[in-house]
Amino acid sequence: MASRAVLLLAMCVLPAMVVAIRPAKNPFCVKGRVYCDPCRAGFETSATTYIAGAEIMLQCKSRVSNEVVYTKKGYTDSTGAYTMYVDEDHADQICSAKLVSSPHPQCKEVTPGRDEAVVILTRYNGIASDDRFANAMGFMSQEVASGCAEVLRQYEEFDNEN
């Protein structure tokens, strides 16, 4: 009789305990950067600097109703990079990292087309890693900085070569 009780314990209780104490799935790790475009080029150049303390928001919307169902705020570090951890799978949602604000006094205008970056937050897409990389998002300075003509001329020369 005692051996049956031990067997019952081993077959029923122990697996339930293991499941209960097993850690949850690894969270998704969303990474990206926020830059300041002093040349107002609309993209990152050699004159680009990265903004510390910029506020960003991760937002997920329902594919059906387009209603916001998840939000999370974050800030960039001293190198202009941010990392946000997301525990939930958002398979039926469209998620984007979005710019909220810049603490840089001369770089507060959002660069058109660089204000958000789509991020896939599901494990049902063949991506093995939990790391998700968002495209860089940017702000522009109010006035073009000195030296930008030379920076942009380099891009023109490259275009003329091809």
Side-chain angles (χ1 to χ4, degrees):
M1 184 71 162
S3 64
R4 285 187 182 179
V6 170
L7 182 61
L8 180 64
L9 178 68
M11 292 179 62
C12 297
V13 176
L14 287 177
M17 288 175 55
V18 169
V19 169
I21 63 171
R22 186 174 61 192
K25 285 185 176 179
N26 292 338
F28 292 107
C29 181
V30 179
K31 300 177 182 184
R33 291 186 91 180
V34 176
Y35 65 87
C36 176
D37 175 7
C39 296
R40 298 184 63 87
F43 53 88
E44 292 173 272
T45 66
S46 58
T48 294
T49 58
Y50 294 91
I51 303 173
E55 184 177 355
I56 55 104
M57 178 176 31
L58 182 67
Q59 185 178 76
C60 298
K61 294 181 178 182
S62 166
R63 288 182 189 272
V64 176
S65 68
N66 206 32
E67 179 183 336
V68 175
V69 294
Y70 179 83
T71 59
K72 185 170 187 172
K73 286 189 178 185
Y75 295 88
T76 57
D77 64 16
S78 61
T79 66
Y82 63 87
T83 301
M84 299 175 74
Y85 295 97
V86 180
D87 292 326
E88 303 88 10
D89 193 285
H90 295 274
D92 295 328
Q93 298 161 13
I94 300 168
C95 299
S96 298
K98 297 179 178 230
L99 292 176
V100 176
S101 65
S102 167
H104 193 297
Q106 278 77 43
C107 208
K108 291 189 174 283
E109 183 182 340
V110 174
T111 304
R114 302 284 187 198
D115 60 331
E116 70 179 287
V118 174
V119 181
I120 307 297
L121 294 177
T122 184
R123 290 182 173 82
Y124 303 108
N125 59 359
I127 300 174
S129 172
D130 291 326
D131 291 340
R132 300 295 191 263
F133 297 95
N135 289 337
M137 299 180 291
F139 292 94
M140 296 186 293
S141 60
Q142 282 122 359
E143 296 188 22
V144 176
S146 63
C148 285
E150 181 60 33
V151 170
L152 297 177
R153 199 170 302 118
Q154 293 172 357
Y155 289 97
E156 288 177 17
E157 290 172 7
F158 179 76
D159 281 346
N160 291 336
E161 291 174 5
N162 292 325

